[in-house]
Amino acid sequence: MKETVITTTRESLAIRMSSATRNRPAMRKALTAAACTTALLAGVAACGTVENLTAGQKVDRAFEGLGEKKSLAFELGLDAKPSALTKLAGEAEPGEELPPELAELFTGVRVKVSVESRKPLADSGEKDLVGTGVTISGPDGVLAEYRLVGDYTYYRADMKALGEAMGFPLPTAEELPESEKDLKKVLEGEWVKVDNSDLDRAAKDAPGSEKGEIDTKTQQKLLDAVRGVVAREVTFSDKGGSDGVERIVAKASFRDLLIGVLDKLRPLADDLPAGTELPTDEDLKDAPDKKIAVNFSLKNGDLTRVSVDLAALADDPKGARLPLVVTFGEAGDVSAPSGATEVPADGFGGPGNPFAGGMLGGF
């Protein structure tokens, strides 16, 4: 994009978001730890590494069931009040306190991913997908949304609501220079679309794009490396249930699990995408040396919910609970919205687009 006023505005937005989150290392650490642990425990269970465990087999079958579906959605969010985040943040230096707006944003936002295919998802290729969508919602409705349907990617955002949720105003259509008028529809909250071939070309021209994807062979190496570690470090237990709902808990030492996995991944570092940096031994000294538990809920054998308490990774949880919850269900609307205005690929990465890195990059 040209060096215009709107570019400066976007950079300013990213700086403000970064300053609002960069002094929250404990929060970022907890979120990253939970995400990594949930992915490891859930994903490896689905790959059959725990066949000798009855509880693990149930989780394994439940994940296989997700792959048999043609329509699937999962929604991610914190099941906590803003006061729980504030409590965990504890005392901070003047000017570094957790802003109330961010506490409300983190606990009120829900991210939903939907995918629909003509074939079972486990057997689907790119050409089999009917549509894919991501929706970011707050307490009062949709904040931003994008859909990938056919040859186009569609996007819309409620800029006013996003600004209010983050505690500062975002750029408005009136602030756009004439050279950036293509972005007006985005800032007005209307649907816009961009040709996927243009996005692909833009991605290929980006620095480091010569090694931007992991090939199938490398994926298998990564999976095999993780499998053995998780099978050794993780225990699954059946906690019973009622009304057709079972609860299974997977537990592991977060630091031992993370160190074990990274030790296996480092020999594969040259096969990873350009720019990928694995944590060093020095970095791992700050990893929480605590047990973490991931709770799986199964109804009649189907996976319905996964949760992990982020507060368990805090140095001093102060009695607070901060469950990160993933729920599973049917896909939402992934059809192509009517009346979308086509914009160039560089415009799609414009101000306020959380999928282009500004809003979500603070973590």
Side-chain angles (χ1 to χ4, degrees):
M1 183 177 290
K2 299 177 182 179
E3 293 297 326
T4 60
V5 174
I6 200 65
T7 304
T8 304
T9 303
R10 180 166 64 256
E11 292 174 349
S12 175
L13 169 62
I15 292 173
R16 282 182 284 177
M17 282 303 301
S18 176
S19 65
T21 57
R22 66 187 175 195
N23 295 319
R24 248 67 70 182
M27 188 191 313
R28 290 201 305 273
K29 185 193 302 181
L31 286 168
T32 303
C36 290
T37 305
T38 302
L40 290 174
L41 302 191
V44 176
C47 294
T49 64
V50 290
E51 292 179 357
N52 60 316
L53 300 176
T54 302
Q57 283 180 317
K58 292 179 180 179
V59 176
D60 186 8
R61 295 189 187 112
F63 273 94
E64 287 181 351
L66 295 181
E68 295 170 359
K69 296 179 180 295
K70 295 182 180 180
S71 174
L72 179 67
F74 65 87
E75 183 175 276
L76 175 74
L78 291 173
D79 187 13
K81 295 181 179 180
S83 57
L85 264 184
T86 304
K87 189 174 184 179
L88 282 174
E91 297 182 2
E93 296 295 327
E96 296 186 0
E97 300 88 351
L98 179 65
E101 295 88 355
L102 277 183
E104 293 182 9
L105 175 63
F106 290 140
T107 55
V109 161
R110 298 292 181 267
V111 179
K112 183 176 182 179
V113 179
S114 296
V115 60
E116 187 175 338
S117 176
R118 299 178 183 87
K119 296 181 179 179
L121 293 174
D123 302 324
S124 294
E126 184 177 346
K127 294 182 179 179
D128 300 314
L129 297 180
V130 176
T132 303
V134 178
T135 303
I136 300 178
S137 302
D140 299 323
V142 174
L143 298 175
E145 179 178 7
Y146 94 85
R147 300 178 192 174
L148 177 58
V149 187
D151 296 329
Y152 288 91
T153 294
Y154 301 82
Y155 172 75
R156 66 167 175 159
D158 186 334
M159 304 302 288
K160 181 179 180 181
L162 277 170
E164 291 176 350
M166 292 186 289
F168 53 79
L170 294 179
T172 65
E174 288 72 24
E175 295 175 329
L176 284 174
E178 183 64 24
S179 60
E180 301 295 341
K181 62 181 180 180
D182 289 330
L183 296 177
K184 184 177 181 181
K185 296 293 185 181
V186 176
L187 298 183
E188 291 177 340
E190 297 185 27
W191 281 105
V192 297
K193 65 180 182 180
V194 61
D195 192 303
N196 291 332
S197 60
D198 292 340
L199 283 178
D200 290 340
R201 280 193 291 271
K204 290 178 181 178
D205 292 338
S209 60
E210 68 280 356
K211 194 177 179 183
E213 296 183 358
I214 302 177
D215 58 46
T216 303
K217 186 177 180 180
T218 301
Q219 289 179 27
Q220 189 60 47
K221 287 182 181 179
L222 295 174
L223 183 58
D224 290 342
V226 173
R227 275 178 168 174
V229 178
V230 175
R232 183 178 69 247
E233 300 289 348
V234 179
T235 59
F236 287 79
S237 57
D238 195 330
K239 299 300 182 180
S242 59
D243 299 327
V245 178
E246 294 181 272
R247 189 169 70 92
I248 295 174
V249 179
K251 291 184 178 181
S253 165
F254 177 73
R255 181 181 291 178
D256 291 346
L257 182 62
L258 188 59
I259 290 175
V261 169
L262 289 173
D263 283 346
K264 294 292 185 180
L265 294 185
R266 286 195 179 98
L268 304 174
D270 291 341
D271 296 325
L272 299 178
T276 301
E277 294 185 10
L278 297 176
T280 64
D281 291 337
E282 185 66 25
D283 295 330
L284 295 180
K285 291 181 180 179
D286 294 329
D289 186 16
K290 296 187 176 185
K291 286 277 188 180
I292 187 167
V294 179
N295 297 276
F296 300 89
S297 294
L298 284 65
K299 184 167 185 176
N300 300 322
D302 293 333
L303 184 65
T304 59
R305 189 176 189 269
V306 180
S307 67
V308 57
D309 185 7
L310 303 185
L313 295 171
D315 294 333
D316 181 9
K318 301 179 178 68
R321 295 186 70 256
L322 197 66
L324 177 66
V325 178
V326 182
T327 57
F328 297 85
E330 290 291 314
D333 186 3
V334 291
S335 63
S338 60
T341 301
E342 187 165 358
V343 298
D346 58 353
F348 189 70
N353 187 339
F355 305 104
M359 178 180 170
L360 302 182
F363 297 104

